[in-house]
């Protein structure tokens, strides 16, 4: 998940949207737990966005990541055929 999530965050950070703003915040967060597991990352984001009043944006980010992950998975599978 980690490299795929990081790539998604990099791409999304270029968007001029609330989700893009959150992606930029993630990239600029010196305390972001990049080297940890998925559960800790999701907990970190959920906590910080809840405290910052942007939890709805976090959920939009995760829906977008799910779609991104699914699209990349299909792409990878078609390349292996």
């Amino acid at each position: 998940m980690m490299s795929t999530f990081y790539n998604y965050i990099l791409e999304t950070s270029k968007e001029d949207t609330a989700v893009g703003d959150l992606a930029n915040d993630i990239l600029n967060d010196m305390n972001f737990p990049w080297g940890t597991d998925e559960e800790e990352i999701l907990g970190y984001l959920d906590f910080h966005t809840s405290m910052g009043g942007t939890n709805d944006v976090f959920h939009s980010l995760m829906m977008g990541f799910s779609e991104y992950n699914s699209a990349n998975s299909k792409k990878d599978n078609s390349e292996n055929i």
Side-chain angles (χ1 to χ4, degrees), residues 9-73:
I9 294 300
L10 280 176
E11 287 184 28
T12 304
S13 69
K14 299 171 188 167
E15 297 176 7
D16 188 18
T17 63
V19 174
D21 289 345
L22 178 56
N24 274 305
D25 290 346
I26 291 168
L27 291 173
N28 292 315
D29 183 350
M30 300 309 280
N31 296 313
F32 194 81
W34 286 112
T36 62
D37 63 19
E38 181 178 349
E39 185 176 332
E40 187 165 336
I41 289 172
L42 295 178
Y44 181 89
L45 286 170
D46 188 41
F47 174 77
H48 285 281
T49 58
S50 291
M51 297 300 290
T54 57
N55 199 253
D56 58 330
V57 179
F58 162 63
H59 289 284
S60 294
L61 177 95
M62 293 314 297
M63 285 187 346
F65 175 62
S66 179
E67 293 168 6
Y68 173 87
N69 210 16
S70 181
N72 281 336
S73 177

